């Protein structure tokens, strides 16, 4: 006869019977399922679990493969506290020592008396889900990156669109020109006096007009005065006005240009040609904002933003006693140096195309093609007369062109040519120095590589360096 002890089933046997009762259901389950007794020994492994793991008996391990101490294992925690534990950041190790990410639930099993018999663990291989999640996160990260990039590009493009719109009469996209336009944009919103500097024909008036159009005074008048074009006897009257009878011929009162420009902007072109005796009166207007008409006794207050321009070196004019030093400092609050065309050769194509379209339309022609060879000639030419000279050359070429293809023939002045230059070898080196310096500025002083100065000039980088050394070209110190 078996003893009473032998006739009593063990806890493990009870658990095994319990699990076998549901074996058919568990074996059909797609999730991995296995049972553990109170000692942590595997009592049941369904086919899905065995297929995923390769083990018939399972023990949980950390992600690095090390064994969990019994006291800290999340699966065994169900034995200790009798609670369901859900974990989604662990890995299970296969028999072949490879691992895969899982999410699992460890559920305690109790008998009818409420005693813990063991636990059932259900788990899923979440490799694909994790891969998709990671792919989605990477995609979202890429989207966020692209979104930021697009926002930055949009902000830049919007700024460039605004820039191009605001400076629609100024043609060009070179770095040299764009840098000047940005400085113009910054000063335009202020009331600071601006001194526009540049050679003859660079378009100083266009920059003055752009400053006015971008300013809070844009709805008020922009009054222009060419100080060199007015007879010296009439300059004062033009600027400040006169009363009736102030001098012979003053048969009526005249409002001066500064009064006309009240609350607006006055553009004083060729300011260096202003007679010295009038420079003091101009200084008073700049400092005090007031003037008196010729022959008048009443002080007139004016609110005028002043933009002056010259192609002369005012510092030399000051040293020569031809221009007042205090007026120079008063005008030179914010100087804007307009670059000559030879320092922005990449803009020549845009300007040439623009002028061809303008004069073809004006003259009723169908000239709409510029041969590459002609374009190269235009780019090589040093343009001593700058944009004005280019415009004149294109207008003349359009007039003489028959058909739809522009013909330059011999319209370029050889004295301004890069290849034929008056003044001997020294003048030729000056032109070459200017040309190389302009391209270096265009490329950000990149000597070699793609889109470099050497590539644009079609020179070996070492040859370019030798020419730079011979011509004394060095990168300016910031």
């Amino acid at each position: 006869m078996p003893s009473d002890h032998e006739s009593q089933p063990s806890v493990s046997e009870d658990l095994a019977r319990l699990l076998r009762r549901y074996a058919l259901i568990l074996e059909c389950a797609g999730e991995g399922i296995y049972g553990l007794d109170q000692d942590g020994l595997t009592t049941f492994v369904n086919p899905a679990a065995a297929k995923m793991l390769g083990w018939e008996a399972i023990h949980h391990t950390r992600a690095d493969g090390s064994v969990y101490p019994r006291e800290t294992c999340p699966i065994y925690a169900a034995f200790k506290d009798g609670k369901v534990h859900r974990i989604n950041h662990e890995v299970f190790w296969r028999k072949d020592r490879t691992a895969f990410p899982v999410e699992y639930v460890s559920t305690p099993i109790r008998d009818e008396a409420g005693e813990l018999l063991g636990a059932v663990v259900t788990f899923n291989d979440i490799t694909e889900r994790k891969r998709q999640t990671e792919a989605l996160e990477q995609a979202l990260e890429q989207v966020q990156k692209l979104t930021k990039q697009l926002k930055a590009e949009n902000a830049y493009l919007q700024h460039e669109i605004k820039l191009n719109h605001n400076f629609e009469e100024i043609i060009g996209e070179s770095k040299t020109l764009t840098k000047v336009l940005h400085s113009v944009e910054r000063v335009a919103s202020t009331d600071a006096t601006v001194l526009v500097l540049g050679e003859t024909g660079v378009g100083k008036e266009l920059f003055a007009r752009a400053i006015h159009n971008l300013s809070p005074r844009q709805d008020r008048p922009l009054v222009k005065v060419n100080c060199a074009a007015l007879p010296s006897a009439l300059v004062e009257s033009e600027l400040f006005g006169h009363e009736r009878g102030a001098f012979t011929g003053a048969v009526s009162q005249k409002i001066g240009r500064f009064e006309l420009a009240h609350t607006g902007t006055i553009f004083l072109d060729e300011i260096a040609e202003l007679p010295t005796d009038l420079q003091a009166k101009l200084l008073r207007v700049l400092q005090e904002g007031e003037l008196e008409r010729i022959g008048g006794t009443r002080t007139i207050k004016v609110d005028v933003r002043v933009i002056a321009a010259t192609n002369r070196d005012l510092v030399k004019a000051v040293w020569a006693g031809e221009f007042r030093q205090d007026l120079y400092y008063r005008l030179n609050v914010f100087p804007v140096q307009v670059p000559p065309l030879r320092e922005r050769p990449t803009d020549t194509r845009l300007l040439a195309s623009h002028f061809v379209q303008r004069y073809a339309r004006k003259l009723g022609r169908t000239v709409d093609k510029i041969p590459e060879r002609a374009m190269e000639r235009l780019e090589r030419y040093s343009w001593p007369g700058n944009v004005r000279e280019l415009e004149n050359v294109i207008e003349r070429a359009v007039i003489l062109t028959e058909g739809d293809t522009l013909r330059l023939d011999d319209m370029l002045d050889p004295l301004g040519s890069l290849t034929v230059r008056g003044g001997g070898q020294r003048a030729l080196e000056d032109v070459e120095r200017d040309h190389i310096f302009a391209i270096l500025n265009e490329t950000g002083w990149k000597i070699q590589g793609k889109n470099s100065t050497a590539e644009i000039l079609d020179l070996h980088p070492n040859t370019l360096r030798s020419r730079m050394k011979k011509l004394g070209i060095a990168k300016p110190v910031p």
Side-chain angles (χ1 to χ4, degrees), residues 297-350:
T297 58
R298 183 170 61 92
T299 298
I300 300 170
K301 286 282 187 179
V302 288
D303 172 18
V304 178
R305 201 257 181 90
V306 176
I307 302 173
T310 183
N311 61 356
R312 290 181 56 187
D313 187 334
L314 285 185
V315 174
K316 288 183 179 179
V318 169
W319 283 107
E322 299 171 353
F323 202 82
R324 291 180 62 108
Q325 185 177 24
D326 48 5
L327 178 58
Y328 166 72
Y329 287 124
R330 194 70 188 180
L331 291 172
N332 198 42
V333 175
F334 195 95
V336 172
Q337 184 73 49
V338 181
L341 189 53
R342 65 178 174 276
E343 290 183 7
R344 50 187 186 106
T346 56
D347 290 338
T348 305
R349 288 176 177 260
L350 292 174

Side-chain angles (χ1 to χ4, degrees), residues 19-47:
L19 291 174
R20 282 196 298 271
R21 188 178 303 171
Y22 301 101
L24 290 175
I25 297 175
L26 297 177
E27 287 178 1
C28 295
E31 294 179 317
I33 304 173
Y34 65 92
L36 304 171
D37 63 16
Q38 287 179 319
D39 297 320
L41 299 177
T42 304
T43 59
F44 174 81
V45 177
N46 79 333

Side-chain angles (χ1 to χ4, degrees), residues 71-359:
E71 301 77 27
T72 59
C73 176
I75 292 176
Y76 293 147
F79 301 136
K80 184 169 59 178
D81 58 21
K83 296 179 180 178
V84 175
H85 289 262
R86 301 177 183 274
I87 306 296
N88 57 12
H89 55 273
E90 296 286 355
V91 300
F92 279 179
W93 288 82
R94 302 183 182 94
K95 191 174 184 178
D96 62 5
R97 303 305 299 160
T98 59
F100 60 96
V102 296
E103 64 176 11
Y104 66 86
V105 179
S106 177
T107 305
I109 298 177
R110 302 175 184 273
D111 62 13
E112 295 177 354
E115 294 292 329
L116 285 171
L117 301 178
V120 171
V121 178
T122 60
F123 66 92
N124 285 300
D125 181 348
I126 60 171
T127 300
E128 181 60 22
R129 186 198 305 172
K130 189 173 182 181
R131 187 194 65 77
Q132 292 178 357
T133 300
E134 290 175 351
L136 179 60
E137 289 174 351
Q138 291 176 358
L140 288 174
E141 183 180 352
Q142 185 68 13
V143 168
Q144 290 174 348
K145 181 179 179 181
L146 289 173
T147 300
K148 289 181 180 179
Q149 182 179 345
L150 287 172
K151 284 183 179 178
E153 290 177 355
N154 183 59
Y156 171 77
L157 289 173
Q158 288 296 329
H159 182 74
E160 290 303 306
I161 290 170
K162 179 183 177 184
L163 196 67
N164 291 335
H165 177 73
N166 291 336
F167 302 107
E168 56 189 8
E169 295 184 37
I170 302 174
I171 308 299
E173 57 185 17
S174 64
K175 293 180 181 178
T176 304
L177 179 64
T178 302
K179 183 177 180 180
V180 177
L181 295 182
H182 282 297
S183 67
V184 165
E185 229 182 2
R186 287 194 293 271
V187 74
S189 61
T190 73
D191 261 347
T193 300
V194 179
L195 180 60
V196 183
L197 304 168
E199 298 176 6
T200 298
V202 293
K204 295 184 288 294
E205 183 179 333
L206 295 181
F207 283 81
R209 189 179 302 150
I211 293 170
H212 173 72
N213 290 340
L214 288 171
S215 75
R217 299 172 182 260
Q218 60 182 309
D219 295 328
R220 304 301 299 160
L222 169 64
V223 177
K224 293 172 284 186
V225 181
N226 189 324
C227 300
L230 293 172
S232 56
L234 297 179
V235 174
E236 184 177 5
S237 174
E238 285 295 322
L239 290 177
F240 309 120
H242 63 255
E243 299 291 349
R244 180 180 178 181
F247 51 83
T248 302
V251 295
S252 62
Q253 185 189 70
K254 177 181 176 62
I255 302 297
R257 301 290 180 90
F258 269 93
E259 285 185 75
L260 291 174
H262 181 61
T263 69
T265 303
I266 191 167
F267 173 50
L268 303 174
D269 198 8
E270 304 295 350
I271 188 65
E273 309 308 318
L274 191 68
T276 52
D277 59 322
L278 290 182
Q279 291 177 19
K281 294 185 178 182
L282 174 60
L283 182 63
R284 179 192 175 192
V285 176
L286 294 178
Q287 289 177 331
E288 309 296 336
E290 58 186 32
L291 57 85
E292 292 178 3
R293 299 185 190 128
I294 299 174
T297 58
R298 183 170 61 92
T299 298
I300 300 170
K301 286 282 187 179
V302 288
D303 172 18
V304 178
R305 201 257 181 90
V306 176
I307 302 173
T310 183
N311 61 356
R312 290 181 56 187
D313 187 334
L314 285 185
V315 174
K316 288 183 179 179
V318 169
W319 283 107
E322 299 171 353
F323 202 82
R324 291 180 62 108
Q325 185 177 24
D326 48 5
L327 178 58
Y328 166 72
Y329 287 124
R330 194 70 188 180
L331 291 172
N332 198 42
V333 175
F334 195 95
V336 172
Q337 184 73 49
V338 181
L341 189 53
R342 65 178 174 276
E343 290 183 7
R344 50 187 186 106
T346 56
D347 290 338
T348 305
R349 288 176 177 260
L350 292 174
L351 285 162
S353 298
H354 170 74
F355 290 137
V356 167
Q357 292 176 16
R358 172 191 289 181
Y359 288 106

Side-chain angles (χ1 to χ4, degrees), residues 348-349 352-353 370-380:
T348 305
R349 288 176 177 260
S353 298
I370 306 178
E372 181 61 25
R373 187 174 179 180
M375 276 294 194
E376 290 174 355
R377 287 187 63 197
L378 294 174
E379 286 184 322
R380 287 197 303 268

